Amino acid sequence: LDLGLPLKLWDENILLKTRQADFFDVILVGDGEELLEEFISEWQKLKSLDISRTEALTRLAATVEGAYVPELYEVEYECADGPVKSVKPVSSEVPAVVKKRTFRSRTLAASTVITPISAWENIHMVEAVRSCPEMCRFCLASYSTLPFRSASIEEGLIPAIDRGLEHTRRIGILGASVTQHPQFDELVDKLSDQKYDDVRISLSSVRTNSVTEKLARMLSTHDSRSITVAVESGSERLRNVINKKLENDQIVEAARVAQIGGLSSMKLYGMAGLPSESMDDVEETLEMFRKLKSESAKLKSSFRFTFGCSTFVPKAHTPFQWFPVRKDSDKKLKYLDKELRKIGVDFRPESYKWSVIQALISRGDRRVSMVLEKAAEYGGSQGSIKRAMKDLKGQLPPLQYYAHEEWDISTCLPWSAVQMSLSENLLRDHREQAMNLV
């Protein structure tokens, strides 16, 4: 078998953006621990055979569970610039729907390369948990990686940490919800051992109501100065809609124990423009920060609060994939910026305009690949995207459709040939549960 060019493949996160199908031969869907080995083994067998490229890719799709070959699925549109009408396999030999592969083990991933030339320089990363049991309705990290799994402390986490310490004194413990590890308290105790005294330990975002004074002290002892929590909004009503099981008193308490435990700052993540959000919800976010500042002042320290706020962007394979980017999000971000400055909160919004582009990529179909190619030729800026869309008018729907329109739940989704952790019917059910709380 001679393809003429190297085989191009990618992982599940590209898969979630199926409009990249024109750029890749094979996309591996799901956890790679077993899938990648199976794929390589099968590909090596196929390379030795005298068969065509199409036959080789068909065999891959038929024999390797989780291997999605985009060109083996035909997309039909209502019209040239209309929505997707259907996505069907071109052969009965390949599955009608490619299902995500799931790795079930108590040993999860860890760094294989430690280098100063990286976003997190010289840090040995260790995965404590995979997915998140909370299932916030917008969250790709939870819905695409279910079920929730945790690494064994004795057989997985501590041995992985100790291997990393042979090369660096910086450890990062990763996961969508690290502190929900069922043995997290035991892990904190082990990392408090004196043999780790000179190790800098960092955690990814932690669940707000699991922040304790013991955790804060362990982090501050190991050269961490801040802790990060995702609250999404100061409105309990809105948090109920998105399935964020959290109360404002728990947020205030998390900040209090972080401060008592020796940390100097807390970063909170939130969103503007979540489905059903009103200005009343935005005002409740401001009130939450006023309460945080007021309670912090009682402890007479210079504890700092940072609010990183993005615009809601719908993600494929989540219950909120049918909702749009709301045009009033930009106004809300500017209002939050003005009001939070008054009370001394460091507000760090993500660009609303880039969020709109992100939505184009997030909900786009294969025709968006034409936009990406042209935009790259034009320089890759926001203006380049708009210029490319203008050039291609009539060949795909407008930006308004991809980014700002709410899609009917009967819409044929561009990624319907792929199923992640939950079926589309279950995602619809979760969407309905959220809307029943509005």
Side-chain angles (χ1 to χ4, degrees):
L1 170 65
D2 182 9
L3 294 183
L5 292 171
L7 184 77
K8 296 172 285 183
L9 71 148
W10 206 256
D11 69 5
E12 65 178 53
N13 291 315
I14 286 293
L15 170 278
L16 299 171
K17 305 170 180 62
T18 54
R19 67 284 346 160
Q20 309 242 11
D22 289 343
F23 307 139
F24 297 98
D25 299 304
V26 183
I27 299 169
L28 302 182
V29 185
D31 299 325
E33 282 87 348
E34 297 166 338
L35 174 55
L36 188 57
E37 186 176 344
E38 286 182 26
F39 166 79
I40 292 172
S41 175
E42 187 64 23
W43 185 247
Q44 288 174 333
K45 293 177 189 175
L46 292 171
K47 283 176 68 177
S48 66
L49 302 178
D50 184 20
I51 57 176
S52 69
R53 176 183 179 281
T54 298
E55 187 176 350
L57 291 173
T58 300
R59 289 194 189 184
L60 269 177
T63 58
V64 179
E65 183 184 355
Y68 170 56
V69 179
E71 68 185 66
L72 299 181
Y73 294 83
E74 182 180 17
V75 181
E76 184 181 358
Y77 303 101
E78 296 286 353
C79 59
D81 58 355
V84 173
K85 183 177 181 180
S86 65
V87 183
K88 298 176 182 177
V90 299
S91 166
S92 60
E93 296 180 59
V94 299
V97 176
V98 178
K99 294 186 178 180
K100 162 186 175 286
R101 284 287 292 273
T102 298
F103 178 61
R104 301 179 186 275
S105 172
R106 297 300 309 280
T107 302
L108 299 178
S111 296
T112 54
V113 176
I114 301 169
T115 172
I117 312 171
S118 67
W120 296 278
E121 62 181 53
N122 294 321
I123 296 183
H124 179 65
M125 303 289 195
V126 180
E127 187 182 21
V129 298
R130 190 170 295 180
S131 194
C132 174
E134 296 304 313
M135 297 173 68
C136 295
R137 302 305 190 209
F138 60 84
C139 185
L140 180 64
S142 175
Y143 273 87
S144 70
T145 58
L146 289 168
F148 178 70
R149 288 146 287 170
S150 58
S152 164
I153 297 288
E154 296 294 344
E155 298 173 15
L157 274 177
I158 294 301
I161 289 170
D162 289 344
R163 284 194 299 273
L165 292 177
E166 296 173 9
H167 307 281
T168 183
R169 305 311 287 174
R170 299 185 68 186
I171 297 293
I173 301 176
L174 302 182
S177 189
V178 170
T179 50
Q180 286 184 281
H181 191 292
Q183 298 170 285
F184 186 75
D185 206 46
E186 179 184 341
L187 177 63
V188 172
D189 288 338
K190 286 187 177 293
L191 294 177
S192 298
D193 188 281
Q194 62 181 9
K195 79 173 186 175
Y196 299 112
D197 280 354
D198 66 336
V199 177
R200 182 174 181 179
I201 297 173
S202 303
L203 296 183
S204 57
S205 180
V206 303
R207 181 157 172 78
T208 309
N209 60 7
S210 62
V211 178
T212 63
E213 185 178 340
K214 181 166 76 170
L215 170 61
R217 290 199 184 282
M218 185 275 287
L219 290 173
S220 62
T221 299
H222 291 87
D223 206 27
S224 283
R225 296 288 172 260
S226 181
I227 195 165
T228 302
V229 297
V231 298
E232 314 314 342
S233 171
S235 164
E236 292 191 5
R237 181 205 70 82
L238 189 55
R239 288 201 300 267
N240 285 334
V241 170
I242 65 176
N243 203 38
K244 190 80 177 181
K245 308 174 190 74
L246 186 62
E247 297 177 1
N248 281 351
D249 287 346
Q250 293 172 320
I251 300 170
V252 173
E253 176 63 9
R256 187 186 72 83
V257 297
Q259 197 168 347
I260 291 173
L263 296 174
S264 58
S265 63
M266 172 178 277
K267 183 170 186 177
L268 299 92
Y269 281 121
M271 285 189 191
L274 283 160
S276 85
E277 182 186 60
S278 69
M279 282 305 296
D280 287 343
D281 297 311
V282 176
E283 291 293 347
E284 289 193 44
T285 296
L286 292 171
E287 186 55 37
M288 176 190 72
F289 276 105
R290 293 185 188 104
K291 182 70 178 292
L292 285 169
K293 292 287 290 185
S294 172
E295 293 299 313
S296 175
K298 294 177 183 178
L299 296 176
K300 302 186 186 305
S301 76
S302 56
F303 197 76
R304 301 186 309 279
F305 292 99
T306 298
F307 188 37
C309 192
S310 60
T311 297
F312 165 74
V313 174
K315 299 297 194 301
H317 304 287
T318 69
F320 283 0
Q321 63 188 346
W322 292 277
F323 288 109
V325 174
R326 293 176 53 172
K327 292 184 177 180
D328 63 353
S329 301
D330 193 26
K331 181 180 75 171
K332 290 172 180 175
L333 289 172
K334 290 174 180 175
Y335 179 66
L336 283 167
D337 189 15
K338 182 182 74 171
E339 296 301 316
L340 288 172
R341 285 175 186 271
K342 296 177 182 178
I343 59 173
V345 173
D346 181 11
F347 184 60
R348 299 182 184 178
E350 289 190 3
S351 164
Y352 167 77
K353 291 182 179 179
W354 275 116
S355 294
V356 174
I357 303 303
Q358 186 186 146
L360 169 68
I361 299 172
S362 178
R363 293 211 298 180
D365 49 62
R366 294 187 184 186
R367 292 168 293 185
V368 173
S369 63
M370 299 186 294
V371 178
L372 299 179
E373 286 187 294
K374 275 191 170 291
E377 293 172 8
Y378 294 155
S381 64
Q382 292 174 16
S384 300
I385 295 282
K386 293 179 179 178
R387 181 182 172 188
M389 291 291 291
K390 184 177 180 180
D391 287 351
L392 294 164
K393 184 177 180 180
Q395 298 181 52
L396 77 166
L399 181 60
Q400 167 73 21
Y401 171 76
Y402 291 117
H404 297 302
E405 286 188 15
E406 181 173 341
W407 291 359
D408 188 88
I409 58 172
S410 64
T411 299
C412 180
L413 299 170
W415 45 89
S416 58
V418 175
Q419 180 179 311
M420 298 303 286
S421 303
L422 301 182
S423 69
E424 193 172 308
N425 284 337
L426 274 174
L427 295 177
R428 287 194 189 100
D429 289 345
H430 288 196
R431 176 192 181 281
E432 183 178 358
Q433 290 168 20
M435 291 301 95
N436 287 338
L437 296 171
V438 172

